[in-house]
Amino acid sequence: MPRTIRITRSHKLAAAVLVAAGSVTAITATGGQSEAQPTAAKSSATAGKAATGAPTAQEIAAEKAAAENAAKKAAADAAAAKKVAADRKAAAERKAEAEKAAEKARSEKQAANRSTERKAVAAPKKAAPKAAPKKYANNLDGWIRESLDIMKKKNIPGSYEGLHRNIMRESSGNPNAVNDWDINARNGIPSKGLLQVIQPTFDAYHVKGTPKKLTDPVANITAAANYAADRYGSIDNVDSAY
């Protein structure tokens, strides 16, 4: 006859302990009976992983996606770094080209300046054009003005007023006037010209550059002014026969 095994309260408690240790169910002992509450997804997944030690399909997919994202980021970072390096290289090349062009321009300018300087030194200097001779009227005003210009060059003092005043007293402005009655006339050396100069005085005080003719208006005025400057300090100081 088969042996009958009686399950006691002690047996029930031992079984509950064993199930809890295997992570299968949770056991609640009440009034001599047991109730098990399964943790469906957790217990099956945990049991499967615990049994094999391998990651689940979800974990594999997540790891793959993370790896792909990391690869994409690394590629983007590498491309960005490569572009920055390329931009820096291009900027450096442009700067070098600009400096090279500027240096070339400076060298060419300096060479051009040196060439111009050499040409300037080598080229014969052109003589300054001579000023056209000053023209004077062929009358008393023109004769006085021409004489004054010559007197200025020869440092002979005298003014327009002084010359004109004495000319009008001596000859009334006639360049061919001759005094044939005074002592000089009686001695055979009459006074002649605008300022009534005798020949010996004219010869002694003739100013180079004027005609050597006693009755030439400009020569007569200039010689007389030269004589008056030597004897009276200036023709301006003469107010009578001199």
Side-chain angles (χ1 to χ4, degrees), residues 125-204:
K125 293 183 179 180
K126 294 181 179 180
K130 293 182 179 180
K134 188 176 181 179
K135 294 183 178 181
Y136 302 91
N138 189 26
N139 54 29
L140 181 59
D141 179 75
W143 300 330
I144 293 175
R145 293 186 185 282
E146 185 174 357
S147 295
L148 283 170
D149 284 345
I150 296 171
M151 289 163 59
K152 183 177 181 180
K153 292 178 182 178
K154 302 294 183 179
N155 295 318
I156 299 172
S159 67
Y160 186 100
E161 186 278 330
L163 291 173
H164 187 271
R165 171 167 43 82
N166 282 284
I167 287 172
M168 296 308 293
R169 186 190 68 250
E170 293 293 331
S171 66
S172 299
N174 179 8
N176 296 313
V178 178
N179 184 328
D180 56 4
W181 54 266
D182 65 2
I183 187 63
N184 291 320
R186 289 196 296 270
N187 290 333
I189 48 172
S191 301
K192 298 180 181 180
L194 292 172
L195 282 171
Q196 292 294 286
V197 182
I198 61 175
Q199 190 66 48
T201 301
F202 178 81
D203 293 339

Side-chain angles (χ1 to χ4, degrees), residues 96-112:
E97 287 295 327
E99 291 176 350
K100 184 178 180 181
E103 180 61 28
K104 182 179 180 182
R106 283 193 296 270
S107 298
E108 291 176 349
K109 184 177 180 180
Q110 290 173 353

